[in-house]
């Protein structure tokens, strides 16, 4: 853990306010000793089962995202969530995400251009992409023995014109893990655990502010009730289906595929030229 500075003013301000709010909450709700002990046990169990990131990301990260993104400009941000893994395989666009020999689901071609907010194409931008598979599972986290290492994860470098083209598979909606304390809490307060299908993207470039975001799909049954509350209108895209047999043959696909073209814009870092 990073060392805390003695007398850190920001830390003092936020911890003092946090405690004030919690103490007010305890008074307002007349929290009993028994309820307090149950809350302590819940936190211990959440930590023991490695669910602290999941719990906080489900209930709080979308609010942090709203606050932190205020006045930012460029493509809208969304939450990172607990399923990011650093150092995914590095690939040059165009490329195919690492996948299993018989990856289930529909083929997806995601393409677009990465630009600064002033409209300049960003060559050499890094698009770090991760997603669930067509059965709602993430490599590294869910049933890892059923997944190739780095399945459906890569860091893709944009070309000289800021363009990228990645072949992947259409993800499906999934439920955040329900077998632990986070799931028990959701069910205890009568909430479902579904997220609409989405692609996770984190885009970086030397001259710009990093962008962490997600893309969602029109018509998804959970688009209006994401358990995490991370959907933004500008991030909902329409999947276009392609089934022309000559085109499929030319591409070497044995079934229809879907495309999304989405351009990303990144705000510049202050005082840095591209
Ligand atoms: C996700 O998108 O992977 C996610 C985000 C927040 C909480 C749980 C999952
Ligand atoms: Fe996700």
């Amino acid at each position: 853990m990073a060392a805390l500075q003695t007398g850190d003013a920001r830390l003092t301000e936020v911890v003092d306010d946090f405690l004030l709010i919690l103490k007010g909450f305890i008074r307002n709700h007349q929290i009993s000793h028994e309820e307090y002990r149950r809350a302590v046990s819940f936190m211990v169990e959440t930590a023991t089962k490695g669910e602290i990131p999941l719990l906080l990301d489900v209930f709080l990260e979308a609010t942090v995202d709203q606050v932190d993104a205020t006045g930012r400009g460029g493509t809208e941000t969304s939450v990172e969530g607990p399923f990011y893994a650093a150092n995914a395989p590095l690939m040059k666009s165009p490329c195919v995400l690492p996948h299993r020999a018989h990856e289930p689901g529909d083929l997806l071609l995601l393409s677009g251009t990465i630009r600064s907010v002033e409209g300049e194409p960003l060559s050499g931008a890094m698009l770090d992409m991760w997603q669930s598979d067509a059965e709602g599972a993430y490599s590294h986290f869910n049933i890892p023995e059923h997944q190739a290492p780095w399945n459906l994860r890569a860091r893709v470098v944009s070309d000289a014109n800021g363009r990228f083209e990645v072949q992947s598979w259409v993800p499906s909606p999934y439920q955040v893990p329900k077998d632990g304390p986070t799931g028990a809490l959701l069910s205890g307060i009568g909430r479902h655990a579904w997220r609409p299908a989405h692609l996770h993207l984190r885009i970086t470039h030397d001259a710009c502010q990093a962008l962490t975001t997600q893309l969602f799909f029109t018509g998804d049954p959970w688009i209006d009730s994401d358990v995490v509350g991370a959907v933004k209108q500008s991030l909902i895209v329409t999947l276009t289906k392609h089934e022309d047999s000559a085109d499929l043959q030319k591409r070497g696909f044995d079934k229809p595929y879907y495309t999304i073209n989405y351009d990303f814009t990144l705000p510049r870092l202050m005082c840095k030229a591209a």
Side-chain angles (χ1 to χ4, degrees), residues 59 77 82 90 104 117 138 174-175 216 233 246 248 256 265:
F59 288 100
T77 57
L90 204 50
V117 280
Y138 279 91
Y174 63 82
Q175 298 187 80
F216 304 90
Q233 201 57 40
L248 296 182
T265 53

Side-chain angles (χ1 to χ4, degrees), residues 178-193:
K178 289 198 307 180
D179 53 351
T182 307
L185 183 58
L186 281 169
S187 134
I189 61 173
R191 284 179 53 181
H192 72 70

Side-chain angles (χ1 to χ4, degrees), residues 79-83 130-132 138 174 195-196 198-200 214:
V79 302
E80 178 178 302
F83 300 134
W130 70 106
Q131 62 168 91
S132 74
Y138 279 91
Y174 63 82
R195 291 222 65 208
H198 54 276
L199 301 170
H200 288 273
Q214 301 187 15

Side-chain angles (χ1 to χ4, degrees), residues 108-110 170 199 215-220 223 233-242 258-262:
L108 168 66
L109 293 183
L110 171 70
V170 178
L199 301 170
L215 291 179
F216 304 90
F217 309 116
T218 316
D220 189 293
I223 205 83
Q233 201 57 40
S234 67
L235 302 176
I236 304 175
V237 297
T238 299
L239 287 162
T240 307
K241 189 174 186 180
H242 303 262
Y258 291 82
T259 54
I260 301 170
N261 191 79
Y262 196 91

